Each structure stands twice: as C-alpha cells, then as structure tokens.
Amino acid sequence: MSGSHANDDQVAYWNGPEGHHWADHEDRFDAMLAPFVAPVLDAAGVDAGSRVLDVGCGNGALGRAAAVRGASVTAVDVSAPMLARARAHAAAEGLAIEHLEADAQVHAFAGGFDRVVSRFGVMFFADPVAAFANLARALEPGGRLAFVCWQGQPLNEWVAVPALAMLPIVGPPDMPPADAPGPFAFADQARVEGILSAAGFTDVACEAHTPAVLLGGGLGLDDTVAFLAEGGMGKRFLAGADEATAARALAAAREALEPFVTPHGVRMATATWLVTATRP
Ligand SMILES: C[S@@+](CC[C@H](N)C(=O)[O-])C[C@H]1O[C@@H](n2cnc3c(N)ncnc32)[C@H](O)[C@@H]1O
C-alpha cells in the first residue's frame, strides 16, 4: 500500500494474522455481524442512486448490501487479504464496486459521495479527528455519515463472559489505553461526539443498538471456543500462557459459554453505538 505512514501499526495488524483470520473466516464474521448491515444502511439513508463510501470495508459485506440496494459503492480498506475477498465476491455477484487499498485517514478521495458508512471499521485511526475530517471532505454538503462501533467490553456479553472466565487462570492481558486504536476505542459516547464535532460534522447522534449475535456465526460450542482462541481477543488473553494453562483457560471459557448455546449457535448480547452525523 502506498501513501502516508499514519497508521502503520494497523496496516501491519490487518495484513498479518488478524487480517488473514478475518479473511479465512469471513463467513463466520458475516453471519455474526449480519444484524448490523441494514441498520447502518438505513441510518445513512442508502438507496438506489446513493453514492456510498464503505470505510474499513474488510471482506466487503456492507458495501455489497449497499450495491444490492442500487447504490454506487466505493469500498476502502488497508487489508490486502480482506480486500481480495471483497473483490472476488463483488465480481462473482456482478456488483460493480470500486475497491481501494488505502488508509481512509489520509487517502485523497475523489469526493462526490453522499453517504459514508462503516460496520466496525472506523475505530482504528491513530488520529480520529484527522480521519473523520478527511471523510467529511469526501462527502458533499448535506452528506450523511453512519457507522456502528462497540460500546464498552463489560456491556458486550460476547467479550465479557469468556474474558471473565479466563482472567483468573491467565491473569489480566496486556491492554492498550482505552482510547488507543482498537475495537473498543469508541466505547465512550462523549469521545465519539467530540471527535465528530471537531472533524466538522453536525447533527451527531449516538443511538444504542443492542442486537444479540451468534458468536462465530452459528458454530457449535467447541468450534466457537476454537474461533475465539484464534481471534485477536483470544490471542491477547493466551499470550504467554503455556499449553496446559491455555487449555485450562479455554475450558473455563467453554463452560462459561455453555448457558448461551441455542439450536442456532452461541447467542450472546452486544452493545453498540449506531452513530449518525451530517456534513454541513
Ligand atoms: C473489525 S474489521 C471490520 C471489517 C468489515 N467492515 C466488517 O464489518 O466485516 C475492521 C476493518 O477496518 C480496516 N481498517 C483499519 N484501519 C483502517 C484505515 N486506516 N483505513 C481503512 N481501513 C482500515 C481493517 O483493515 C479491517 O478490515
């Protein structure tokens, strides 16, 4: 990827094992995160004729859903393995989506968008105010921004339950500061509102959106635990644990998840913000 080095750490992260984990298990992530697609597109007012920018598009599900509504879509991400999936799906489904491998914080977008959307793809910027100011520039006056981001970890059962089960066995993981780039960087509503206002957006609103999800997208209990262990959170908790300790921690996570097993998979509560704003 050419251009600036504003987010080198995240570029490396999403082109490394975590990016491949998301690409390899795209079906699981898309099944798990399906409840967030329509709410984001509806909040942005995406319909036929919309000119949409999907930020942090990953494997591309949100942008494809916008294209299916008749929007013209550009999808941007820093992750080569996930963009490869996004491109392949769009081609297979006959959707003319433009894909950009670029850092949304600094990329000079051609402009002309009237909707900027994201499903969990905007919490990773080193300089969020600069990034959202850049996205505001990509929007036409009156254009709408809508994205979904996680509220705090304790409110997200799908994280808190396995984490609390593993904690006594492996000890507290090495955690970055709360506002460092990462999935939970936008947990604080006041921080999100401050960032978007400072970036030039108006009518900023954070609405709690709390659908249940199927952890791992509808797997059985053992596969769900294996999926967790392979992902970013599992790796963080198990880093440094020897094999026996890791096995005990995962057994504890399995036991804690058991009450959430349903015929459809491991069903757990989420807490997110559905954030909307306008480019004046
Ligand atoms: C949690 S994943 C979500 C992927 C996708 N939106 C979905 O819902 O499946 C976060 C995505 O943001 C992307 N990302 C992180 N920082 C970025 C940046 N500065 N510019 C563009 N994409 C970025 C990552 O590569 C990753 O694909």
Side-chain angles (χ1 to χ4, degrees), residues 72-274:
S72 70
V73 178
T74 297
V76 60
D77 204 288
V78 294
S79 172
M82 293 166 82
L83 276 170
R85 300 287 172 140
R87 287 192 178 103
H89 281 295
E93 293 171 31
L95 299 169
I97 294 174
E98 180 191 21
H99 293 94
L100 298 174
E101 185 179 339
D103 179 346
Q105 180 177 315
V106 295
H107 182 72
F109 293 104
F113 296 106
D114 56 16
R115 307 281 184 261
V116 169
V117 298
S118 184
R119 186 179 73 174
F120 302 115
V122 290
M123 304 87 84
F124 305 95
F125 302 123
D127 185 339
V129 174
F132 281 99
N134 192 42
L135 296 176
R137 277 190 293 276
L139 275 170
E140 292 184 340
R144 300 266 295 157
L145 168 71
F147 64 84
V148 69
C149 59
W150 299 111
Q151 294 190 37
Q153 301 190 40
L155 298 172
N156 275 288
E157 204 166 65
W158 65 277
V159 184
V161 168
L164 287 175
M166 291 192 283
L167 199 60
I169 298 164
V170 291
D174 201 10
M175 292 297 281
D179 59 0
F184 297 96
F186 281 6
D188 178 359
Q189 176 179 358
R191 177 166 192 256
V192 177
E193 290 169 351
I195 288 168
L196 294 183
S197 300
F201 283 96
T202 56
D203 306 324
V204 178
C206 295
E207 186 189 317
H209 183 57
T210 58
V213 294
L214 294 172
L215 186 52
L219 303 168
L221 184 55
D222 288 330
D223 287 339
T224 300
V225 173
F227 175 73
L228 266 184
E230 273 176 41
M233 178 192 134
K235 285 212 176 104
R236 177 161 293 171
F237 267 83
L238 301 175
D242 60 37
E243 214 173 303
T245 310
R248 273 199 301 128
L250 290 174
R254 186 187 189 285
E255 194 181 331
L257 291 174
E258 199 154 13
F260 300 91
V261 173
T262 74
H264 305 290
V266 181
R267 191 176 155 85
M268 306 190 81
T270 70
T272 70
W273 296 120
L274 183 54

